[in-house]
Amino acid sequence: MIDLYGFGHQMALGTWMTIQLALASLVLGLSLGLFGATLKSSSLRVLRWIGDFYSTVFRGIPELVVVLLIYFGSSGVLTAISGWFGGGYVELNPFAAGTLALGICFGAYATEVFRGALLTIPNGQMEAGQALGLGKTRIFWKIILPQLWRIALPGLGNLFMVMMKDTALVSVIGLEEVMRKASVATGVTKQPFTFYLTAALIYLGITVVATGVLHILEKRVNRGIRRVNA
């Protein structure tokens, strides 16, 4: 049993904060990814250009830079907007800034995953839905989205694993997640190996749980799908 010198409760709080950050970023990232894929699949050139711009820019910038840009840059923008209405200084808290940064980066990669999955769905299924008298929205929710989710799930699972580890980057802006707690405990106790090893085990534990959840989801969405051996 690892002796945490009385910092066990703080490490538990940091773990909970990491999980909340990862889940909030996942929800935002999935929404942005689906929206980005829709833009890139549009028949309008300007919408395809916007989708390309989003996915290319945020896949090309390191996540740490995005975190710092959003945390420190957003205060200037928000303060300027607040000034127009007679308000004062405004800034995002570290959790909101971290969620926004990680969600945007996740969404840029998810855009490509969703788009790749979308391309595998035959156009005939859209035409079949139209033949049944369904509107575009119902065709998307009832026919396209269930298949899109099944095909994209493995790729999205990998992206989530990467993003979950990237939550450690948000410690640089002061969010009290696992790495921040480990750093503070190390400064007090002078036991870096103990606390960074504990942090590593916590991330590994979250990854194992996430892998199990992903496996369950994959089994659920593949029910009724016959696997064909090559």
Side-chain angles (χ1 to χ4, degrees), residues 5 12 14 44 46 56 105 113 115 118 134 140 158 202 206 216 230:
Y5 302 90
L44 298 177
V46 64
T56 301
C105 292
V113 173
R115 179 174 173 272
L118 199 58
L134 301 177
F140 179 78
N158 285 333
I202 289 171
I206 296 174
I216 293 172

Side-chain angles (χ1 to χ4, degrees), residues 66-77 89 91-92 97 172-173:
V66 177
V67 169
L68 295 174
L69 281 175
I70 289 180
Y71 182 66
F72 292 107
S74 62
S75 60
V77 175
Y89 179 76
E91 68 175 12
L92 288 178
V172 301
I173 59 174

Side-chain angles (χ1 to χ4, degrees), residues 3-22:
D3 183 5
L4 295 179
Y5 302 90
F7 280 90
H9 179 64
Q10 291 299 316
M11 293 299 290
L13 290 176
T15 302
W16 175 233
M17 180 60 74
T18 294
I19 293 171
Q20 291 180 82
L21 177 63

Side-chain angles (χ1 to χ4, degrees), residues 50-64:
I50 293 172
D52 278 335
F53 179 81
Y54 166 61
S55 65
T56 301
V57 167
F58 286 100
R59 283 185 299 139
I61 301 176
E63 282 78 358
L64 178 59

Side-chain angles (χ1 to χ4, degrees), residues 108-206:
Y109 288 98
T111 293
E112 299 302 325
V113 173
F114 278 128
R115 179 174 173 272
L118 199 58
L119 291 175
T120 66
I121 299 175
N123 289 330
Q125 299 199 17
M126 176 76 77
E127 295 168 358
Q130 292 172 340
L132 292 172
L134 301 177
K136 288 186 177 179
T137 303
R138 291 194 67 188
I139 291 174
F140 179 78
W141 285 104
K142 298 291 185 181
I143 299 176
I144 304 299
L145 188 59
Q147 298 181 77
L148 188 68
W149 172 246
R150 182 179 65 81
I151 298 168
L153 188 57
L156 295 174
N158 285 333
L159 291 182
F160 177 73
M161 299 300 180
V162 174
M163 185 196 66
M164 194 276 298
K165 291 183 289 187
D166 286 342
T167 58
L169 299 175
V170 186
S171 65
V172 301
I173 59 174
L175 184 68
E176 299 287 334
E177 45 72 66
V178 170
M179 285 304 296
R180 178 73 174 175
K181 295 290 189 183
S183 179
V184 171
T186 296
V188 174
T189 64
K190 310 302 181 188
Q191 297 291 333
F193 182 76
T194 297
F195 287 99
Y196 290 131
L197 175 62
T198 302
L201 293 175
I202 289 171
Y203 283 115
L204 183 60
I206 296 174

Side-chain angles (χ1 to χ4, degrees), residues 30-44:
L30 287 176
S31 303
L32 291 174
L34 194 56
F35 184 62
T38 304
L39 291 180
K40 291 193 70 168
S41 302
S42 172
S43 58
L44 298 177

